[in-house]
């Protein structure tokens, strides 16, 4: 069951959309301004936010930028304004879709489903990138630690790696964690020698 946040200062549209989506078994929360929506996004988790572009106070575009910067829900826009500049601004803010009002539930459901699927794909890509970055960082630390051991112990690369791996096994630790310690100890030793 998907949870949707609808943000619109027009209470009639807000209530019609919310009721229509609830009738289709969506979990729906509503807000009439950007500030209320921001509070809801901090206290609840949503699969998708549907934002009006122009609202009093914080605009939908400002709210979208906040969501993007603070890890809020993915979002689409429902707006009475379909001019090209606004659509480009919405896309630049990270919108996964844009519909021009008036809209009905038959138009909104495919938008919600496709935008939610796209948001999951984007999150999977981000997660994979973070995992890869961590793996690359760990590999770099391991290489550096192997170099430290080569210099300190007078070993070749293979023997230094074997020593590092056997120490990690015997201490039941990860190689990356042990590598960080070796690097920190080597850096501390270098600082001490420079001061002396």
């Amino acid at each position: 069951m998907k949870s949707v946040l609808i943000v619109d200062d027009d209470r009639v549209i807000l209530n019609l959309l919310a009721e229509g989506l609830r009738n289709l078994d969506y979990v729906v929360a509503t807000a009439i301004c950007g500030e209320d929506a921001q509070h809801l996004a901090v206290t609840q988790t949503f699969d998708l936010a549907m934002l009006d572009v122009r609202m009093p106070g914080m605009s939908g575009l400002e709210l979208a930028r906040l969501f993007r910067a603070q890890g809020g829900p993915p979002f689409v826009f429902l707006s009475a304004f379909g001019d090209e500049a606004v659509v480009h601004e919405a896309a630049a803010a990270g919108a996964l879709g844009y519909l021009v009002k008036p809209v009905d539930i038959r138009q909104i459901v495919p938008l919600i489903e496709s935008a939610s699927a796209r948001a999951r794909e984007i999150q999977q890509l981000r997660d994979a990138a973070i995992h890869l970055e961590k793996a690359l960082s760990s590999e770099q630390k391991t290489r550096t630690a192997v170099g430290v051991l080569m210099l300190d112990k007078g070993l070749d690369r293979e023997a230094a790696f074997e020593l590092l791996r056997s120490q990690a096994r015997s201490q039941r630790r990860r190689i990356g964690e042990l590598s960080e310690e070796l690097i920190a100890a080597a850096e501390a030793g270098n600082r001490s020698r420079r001061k002396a």
Side-chain angles (χ1 to χ4, degrees):
M1 194 176 315
K2 288 191 176 60
S3 60
V4 179
L5 171 62
I6 306 173
V7 188
D8 199 314
D9 61 323
D10 185 326
R11 290 176 191 267
V12 173
I13 290 173
L14 190 66
N15 291 329
L16 284 172
L17 294 177
E19 185 180 327
L21 289 174
R22 285 184 186 118
N23 289 338
L24 295 172
D25 294 328
Y26 287 88
V27 175
V28 180
T30 60
I32 59 167
C33 65
E35 292 79 9
D36 289 350
Q38 184 182 9
H39 175 72
L40 283 170
V42 168
T43 58
Q44 298 177 44
T45 301
F46 298 100
D47 294 305
L48 190 70
M50 300 170 65
L51 313 177
D52 186 14
V53 172
R54 296 195 179 139
M55 297 181 289
M58 183 187 301
S59 74
L61 290 166
E62 291 171 304
L63 179 60
R65 289 185 195 102
L66 251 170
F67 280 172
R68 192 166 185 194
Q70 297 176 353
F75 50 88
V76 296
F77 283 99
L78 298 178
S79 177
F81 304 95
D83 59 273
E84 199 173 317
V86 175
V87 174
H88 282 300
E89 201 172 346
L96 296 173
Y98 193 105
L99 281 179
V100 177
K101 296 185 229 177
V103 294
D104 63 29
I105 296 301
R106 287 185 308 254
Q107 293 172 297
I108 290 176
V109 170
L111 175 69
I112 291 171
E113 295 302 320
S114 63
S116 296
R118 184 70 182 127
R120 282 190 302 276
E121 290 171 5
I122 290 168
Q123 189 58 51
Q124 288 170 350
L125 288 171
R126 285 184 182 141
D127 292 346
I130 289 167
H131 180 73
L132 180 60
E133 193 174 306
K134 286 180 181 176
L136 290 172
S137 174
S138 180
E139 184 178 328
Q140 181 62 38
K141 288 173 186 169
T142 301
R143 286 183 182 157
T144 303
V146 166
V148 168
L149 288 173
M150 288 171 67
L151 287 172
D152 284 354
K153 307 282 186 192
L155 301 171
D156 64 22
R157 185 175 304 282
E158 193 174 319
F161 179 74
E162 251 335 291
L163 177 61
L164 182 64
R165 186 165 63 174
S166 68
Q167 285 178 347
R169 278 187 190 154
S170 69
Q171 296 175 24
R172 296 179 185 219
R173 297 170 65 196
R174 293 187 173 170
I175 289 179
E177 184 184 322
L178 187 59
S179 295
E180 278 187 49
E181 265 184 32
L182 282 170
I183 294 165
E187 288 172 347
N190 286 340
R191 282 193 296 271
S192 294
R193 281 190 290 276
R194 274 186 243 132
K195 288 179 183 175

